[in-house]
Amino acid sequence: MDASVDVAVIGAGAVGLACAARLGRGDKSVVIIERNNGIAREVTSRSSEVLHAGIYYPPNSLKAKLCIEGHRKILERCERQGIGYRRLGKIIVATDDDEIRSLYRLLENGRSAGASGLEIIDSKQVESREPFVRAEAALLSRNTGIVDAHALCRNWLAEAESFGTSLVLRADLVSVEGSGEGYKLSIKEHDGSVFVLKAKSVVNAAGLQSDHVASLFGIDPDSENYRIKLCKGDYFQLDSASGITFNGLVYPVNERSGLGIHVTLDLGGRIRLGPDAEYVDRIDFTVDPKKADYFASALKKYIPRIEARFLTPEYAGIRPKLAGPDEGFRDFVIRDESDKGCPGLLNLVGIESPGLTAAPAIADRVAEILASL
């Protein structure tokens, strides 16, 4: 199989699918290359499915701007297409004076970034909203919600396919050769056969493999600070027999590598606890049941009735982070690599949280960049 298209999208997670739908809408011929046997099988499927409000990220950063814009676009799509979502709201809880000061810094940061629906509530308001939570105060984010991430991804794929986009599964990009009008991509299929896809432009939305894909174009991930650091997060499920219930999402004051072990709900009302944050050397999605003690200890700080015996291992995810432990904030990389001798290559690297929320806004930015080339 040999083919020629305007754009090859590498990766069929939320960001890659949103890009394919947006580019197809702009009359681009598109092929999506995905190494797994289905869409949204890695970062997207192993997230909390939270629609973030844009509280945590520095004002004017890509994460802040695209999160807020993407949130709006996803809600519009969900309403228009009948995709499941709920605007549950979220509280970020403080249990001492230092954490209360952190809440006010988060409030100021969120408002400066453009997030709306934020306010500080006191301990009585916290207890009224979440009877099983104990805190001195909390930052309430009324607009935070949850979404059916798989339904959202299927909807993006359906839109892309309506414009003629093709999806190739169980296919690995193994080498790249520049050509006069773009690139020749050698793609290995599951049976070992290799076909060549000619593409005028390439969108690298490969998530955990995005640094490797960039290297196939001759870009050094280390010198360009594109090297992905694998940060694992485990989730546990709360047993309904515990009698503990929640009305919305509950987070502690955030940690450096993540947002702390927190409470999320899915659209069926099931309660998930996590994720934690642990840098790892390889991709491994197993969850150690012994971590229940650690999770319960962390959660007991603001959920006094929690016990390790109520927690059952559920699943794990891997974040494609650009920042290592204690390295501070790193923004999304969304970059046209023309100045590196790769015209028409757009690298999307380090698209971790809030990547799901930001996906449609990232897709708009990709379409704008490609249109300008």
Side-chain angles (χ1 to χ4, degrees), residues 306-322:
I306 204 79
E307 301 288 346
R309 60 191 174 92
F310 299 145
L311 308 185
T312 304
E314 188 162 344
Y315 64 91
I318 306 286
R319 307 172 184 91
K321 295 182 75 69
L322 286 170

Side-chain angles (χ1 to χ4, degrees), residues 5-11 23 29-33 185 187 197-205 344:
V5 294
D6 291 323
V7 186
V9 176
I10 312 300
L23 294 169
S29 58
V30 180
V31 167
I32 308 167
I33 304 299
L185 310 178
I187 296 165
L197 175 67
K198 299 176 183 178
K200 295 177 183 177
S201 300
V202 178
V203 177
N204 172 13

Side-chain angles (χ1 to χ4, degrees), residues 182-195:
Y183 301 93
K184 293 180 180 179
L185 310 178
S186 294
I187 296 165
K188 186 176 182 180
E189 297 193 90
H190 66 281
D191 61 1
S193 63
V194 176
F195 72 90

Side-chain angles (χ1 to χ4, degrees), residues 336-353:
D336 162 36
E337 304 289 11
S338 295
D339 62 348
K340 297 188 182 72
C342 298
L345 169 63
L346 269 67
N347 273 325
L348 312 183
V349 188
I351 311 297
E352 54 160 334
S353 181

Side-chain angles (χ1 to χ4, degrees), residues 7 9 18-30 203 363 366-367 370:
V7 186
V9 176
C19 287
R22 177 63 181 83
L23 294 169
R25 200 184 314 145
D27 295 326
K28 298 281 189 183
S29 58
V30 180
V203 177
V366 165
L370 288 180

